[in-house]
């Protein structure tokens, strides 16, 4: 597919497909750009060729390990399916009809996007106020009855968005949960193990608590702290049987 | 211009000149003597100023004075760089203007990407787009439309002046996609589309 | 005025019209073609507009257009441009519009600050808010709601046309991040956890 891709690309530098995925606003944008490179009227564009170009682009992007957003891959899968439907031998099968329909849909969408892009450009070309034409720089202003104050719907929406956002922030705030950190667990074990040479349960060397959430944290951090101290050769760890309590003692001898 | 202008014409000039923004017929009438033929007066002033450095123009149902477009080169301040609009903002504005009223989902369908947060926000802040009711379908999505400020900024007398509007409409490019699909299917006999015969496997 | 004005006259008109304030001869000359007879042009424009609703006047060594003094009465010039509504007023109006009917206490609860008397009075004076009965709870507090004038001013068909929270968020108008950060910072002082030393392993 890569070969085909290169064939269809003119070699001129500026014509080369720039593999910068950030350059496109989504797959439809990329497809429209590819369609324009066919240098024919959008109504005569070859959907099959377009599909192959897109798939080649995606393949290249993946080969170069560019990050591809999921929607590019979804479009690739859709186009691969479209391509297979279009390539089926011409007959009155449902698949062929479906392929033609899918192609038609894609074609219409590209035309619509193109139309709006052209329209947007035409709007910007107009004599815009503040760009090509100017309104009075220092109007005296008219007094208009009750409209002494100015407030737009936008102002209103933004104000409410601010208030509501503030409320939302409170409901989303993460409550600080009681946690027994690993550092604390190590310090605790170091202090309590002292020179104890007798085996003792690990849990006896950890803080007691009635809070079940905090107890889970103590168990987890205590276990990791025991492993860490064992690794450093400062205590020894044993478990007599599966599911039996962990036991520790100072690594004296 | 040596002849003394009529008092009602002078009033219209002064009103539009002093106003902070474009004025509607009603707003102008409110300041004029009763029974003043506001529309005729406006058209008179419009003609009077047509060739001058200042023109009276109509945007939607609002009127305002602005400088003549051909003089922009002497007016543009050297330091004032035109505000750059993102492509997303321009396209979104175009979709809203040509299809209004539209829902956010329609804008996204046409553009093929979801609308990022800042885009509608910006267009509303610029005073070009406003919420315009809801579509009466499940979910009652909000509709968006353009404002009089949009017409004024882009120098459009009305939405009918949108560039290429008639051609786009005639080509069916402003119809919903589903309708366009239906229409195109009916024309299926005609070879509108080239599905790539040239590189098909048959040859 | 029907005859086509000269280009340099048109330039002077446009320049003075678009200027933020009175312009000096030098400032005007800077925008005109070199060698333009600025003073003569200004005097020409001054004469041209002398009888119109707009006059060119000289203040010190600066020139500017202003509306004709005798038309002052129809302009009913305001002392100042329309003032922006205060943030307190906009927020209060927003809360009433979204939650109506509401009591003053509810507005205060949502905004997190007490409401000054002037704010509600102002909104009522503007015709956007009205008293709407009383809530049947102890103290029977007054309820407030928006008026048809509110809908008309904001070009809404009904209150249901106001964008909802999801729509505000989608438009980028609901951004709790900054506030969330602020809240987190305030919490920072609280002691994280208090255990250990006081309840050592001896027990």
């Amino acid at each position: 597919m890569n070969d085909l891709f290169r064939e269809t690309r003119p070699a001129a530098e500026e014509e080369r497909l720039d593999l910068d995925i950030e350059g496109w606003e989504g797959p439809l944008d990329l497809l429209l750009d590819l369609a324009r490179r066919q240098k024919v009227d959008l109504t005569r564009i070859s959907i099959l060729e377009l599909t192959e170009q897109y798939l080649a682009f995606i393949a290249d992007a993946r080969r170069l390990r560019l990050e591809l957003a999921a929607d590019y891959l979804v479009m690739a899968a859709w186009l691969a399916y479209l391509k297979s439907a279009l390539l089926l031998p011409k007959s009155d099968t449902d698949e062929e009809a479906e392929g033609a329909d899918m192609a038609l849909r894609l074609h219409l969408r590209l035309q619509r996007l193109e139309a709006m892009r052209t329209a947007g450009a035409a709007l910007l070309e107009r004599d815009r106020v503040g760009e090509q034409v100017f309104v009075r720089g220092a109007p005296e202003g008219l007094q208009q009855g009750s409209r002494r104050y100015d407030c737009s719907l936008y102002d209103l929406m933004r104000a409410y968005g601010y208030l509501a956002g503030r409320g939302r922030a409170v409901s989303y705030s993460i409550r600080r949960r009681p946690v027994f950190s690993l550092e604390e667990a190590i310090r605790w074990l170091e202090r309590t193990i002292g020179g104890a040479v007798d085996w003792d349960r690990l849990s006896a060397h950890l803080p007691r608590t009635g809070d079940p959430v905090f107890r889970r944290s103590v168990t987890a951090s205590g276990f990791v702290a025991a492993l860490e101290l064992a690794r450093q050769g400062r205590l020894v760890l044993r478990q007599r049987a599966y599911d039996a309590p962990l036991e520790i003692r100072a690594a004296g001898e | 211009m040596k002849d003394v202008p009529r008092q009602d014409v002078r009033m219209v000039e002064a009103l539009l000149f002093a106003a902070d923004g474009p004025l509607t017929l009603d707003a102008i009438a409110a300041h004029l003597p009763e029974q003043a033929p506001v529309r005729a007066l406006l058209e008179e002033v419009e003609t009077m100023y047509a060739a001058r450095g200042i023109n009276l123009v109509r945007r939607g149902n609002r009127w305002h004075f602005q400088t003549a477009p051909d003089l922009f080169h002497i007016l543009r301040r050297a330091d004032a760089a035109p505000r750059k609009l993102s492509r997303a903002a321009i396209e979104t504005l175009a979709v809203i203007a040509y299809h209004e009223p539209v829902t956010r989902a329609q804008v996204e369908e046409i553009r093929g990407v979801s609308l990022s947060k800042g885009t509608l926000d910006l267009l509303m802040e610029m005073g070009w787009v406003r919420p315009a009711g809801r579509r009466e379908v499940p979910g009652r999505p909000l509709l968006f439309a353009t404002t009089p400020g949009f017409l004024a900024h882009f120098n459009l007398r009305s939405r009918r002046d949108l560039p290429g509007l008639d051609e786009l409409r005639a080509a069916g490019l402003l119809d919903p996609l589903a309708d366009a699909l239906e229409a195109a299917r009916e024309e299926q006999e005609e070879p509108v589309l080239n599905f790539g015969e040239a590189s098909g496997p048959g040859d």
Side-chain angles (χ1 to χ4, degrees), chain A, chain B:
Chain A
M1 208 189 303
N2 282 344
D3 289 343
L4 176 78
F5 175 70
R6 293 206 179 82
E7 260 171 42
T8 55
R9 293 271 52 74
E13 198 60 34
E14 71 265 61
E15 294 285 337
R16 287 249 306 280
L17 193 51
D18 186 3
L19 272 177
D20 169 16
I21 204 76
E22 297 295 319
W24 285 279
E25 257 199 283
L28 200 62
D29 189 17
L30 169 57
L31 275 165
L32 181 58
D33 194 30
L34 291 170
R36 280 174 166 164
R37 287 162 204 249
Q38 290 191 19
K39 295 217 162 144
V40 288
D41 181 354
L42 206 55
T43 56
R44 312 205 161 284
I45 208 78
S46 160
I47 293 289
L48 186 58
E49 191 181 327
L50 186 62
T51 296
E52 285 172 344
Q53 285 175 16
Y54 183 92
L55 294 174
F57 173 85
I58 296 300
D60 265 13
R62 300 189 84 174
R63 188 172 51 77
L64 294 174
R65 296 177 192 192
L66 293 181
E67 285 288 332
L68 278 181
D71 47 350
Y72 282 90
L73 299 176
V74 170
M75 178 64 90
W78 189 83
L79 289 174
Y81 179 72
L82 169 62
K83 183 181 161 187
S84 67
L86 288 177
L87 288 178
L88 280 178
K90 293 248 184 246
S91 65
D92 264 348
T93 63
D94 284 351
E95 285 86 354
E96 199 246 339
E98 193 189 333
D101 218 54
M102 286 167 74
L104 183 62
R105 175 182 288 273
L106 175 60
H107 188 246
L108 291 172
R109 289 192 70 190
L110 288 174
Q111 275 187 318
R112 276 167 166 62
L113 179 60
E114 165 94 351
M116 285 303 106
R117 187 156 294 170
T118 314
L123 272 179
L124 285 195
E125 286 296 305
R126 296 186 62 82
D127 290 330
R128 293 161 60 197
V129 170
E131 304 284 346
Q132 284 79 24
V133 298
F134 297 85
V135 293
R136 184 143 184 240
E140 289 96 337
L142 297 174
Q143 182 162 358
Q144 296 183 321
S146 64
R147 289 194 59 177
R148 284 178 299 123
Y149 287 93
D150 201 22
C151 177
S152 69
L153 183 56
Y154 175 75
D155 293 332
L156 194 70
M157 285 158 49
R158 198 171 53 178
Y160 193 71
Y162 169 77
L163 290 175
R166 203 169 51 181
R168 214 153 260 270
V170 173
S171 63
Y172 274 140
S173 72
I174 298 163
R175 237 178 286 147
R176 213 175 287 281
R177 290 169 26 155
V179 171
F180 189 53
S181 76
L182 180 56
E183 288 78 8
E184 284 166 322
I186 290 175
R187 259 186 278 126
W188 193 286
L189 279 184
E190 279 174 333
R191 213 166 48 229
T192 61
I193 197 84
V197 291
D198 292 333
W199 288 104
D200 198 358
R201 289 181 172 200
L202 170 62
S203 54
H205 290 268
L206 293 172
R208 286 177 201 167
T209 170
D211 178 352
V213 177
F214 185 56
R215 191 183 310 128
R216 277 204 293 276
S217 174
V218 166
T219 306
S221 295
F223 174 60
V224 176
L227 289 178
E228 172 62 18
L229 291 173
R231 188 183 67 81
Q232 293 175 14
R234 294 162 65 187
L235 61 73
V236 188
L237 202 59
R238 81 173 183 195
Q239 187 173 28
R240 286 175 189 275
Y242 168 73
D243 218 19
L246 274 173
E247 296 174 327
I248 58 171
R249 66 172 169 80
E253 48 244 65
Chain B
M1 199 146 173
K2 300 281 149 62
D3 50 330
V4 179
R6 292 201 321 277
Q7 188 68 355
D8 49 7
V9 169
R10 294 180 73 232
M11 287 180 177
V12 170
E13 284 176 340
L15 273 173
L16 286 161
F17 192 75
D20 293 316
L23 294 179
T24 60
L25 278 181
D26 288 348
I28 298 167
H31 288 267
L32 293 180
E34 272 186 72
Q35 310 293 336
V38 186
R39 184 173 288 279
L41 283 168
L42 283 167
E43 281 161 10
E44 196 176 335
V45 175
E46 185 183 20
T47 314
M48 248 186 219
Y49 280 86
R52 305 208 68 87
I54 311 164
N55 306 147
L56 182 61
V57 293
R58 181 187 168 177
R59 303 292 169 241
N61 59 349
R62 291 158 200 263
W63 296 75
H64 73 128
F65 273 120
Q66 65 181 30
T67 58
D70 65 304
L71 297 175
F72 79 91
H73 60 285
I74 66 149
L75 294 172
R76 179 173 262 165
R77 291 174 195 93
D79 55 338
R83 184 165 180 182
K84 196 99 171 88
L85 285 168
S86 72
R87 209 173 70 179
I90 297 167
E91 279 180 23
T92 302
L93 180 63
V95 174
I96 294 173
Y98 283 79
H99 295 80
E100 76 178 41
V102 282
T103 63
R104 179 190 188 87
Q106 287 175 285
V107 176
E108 292 179 335
E109 188 193 348
I110 292 171
R111 296 198 56 239
V113 278
S114 61
L115 206 48
S116 75
K117 264 186 185 180
T119 309
L120 272 173
D121 178 17
L122 174 79
L123 294 176
M124 287 194 280
E125 194 181 344
M126 305 283 287
W128 296 340
V129 164
R130 65 185 168 88
R134 291 177 182 278
R135 177 148 293 159
E136 294 302 337
V137 295
R140 302 190 68 247
L142 208 57
L143 290 163
F144 293 92
T146 54
T147 63
F150 164 78
L151 294 178
H153 180 85
F154 289 95
N155 256 291
L156 297 160
R157 283 175 67 91
S158 75
R159 273 194 66 245
R160 295 210 309 263
D161 278 358
L162 284 170
L165 183 67
D166 292 340
E167 292 87 332
L168 291 175
R169 195 172 279 150
L173 286 170
L174 301 181
D175 299 339
L177 192 63
D179 295 357
L181 262 176
E182 202 57 46
R185 278 189 202 120
E186 279 163 23
E187 287 182 50
Q188 206 58 252
E189 293 84 68
E190 288 177 47
V192 193
L193 275 174
N194 170 8
F195 291 129
E197 277 80 323
S199 49
D203 344 331

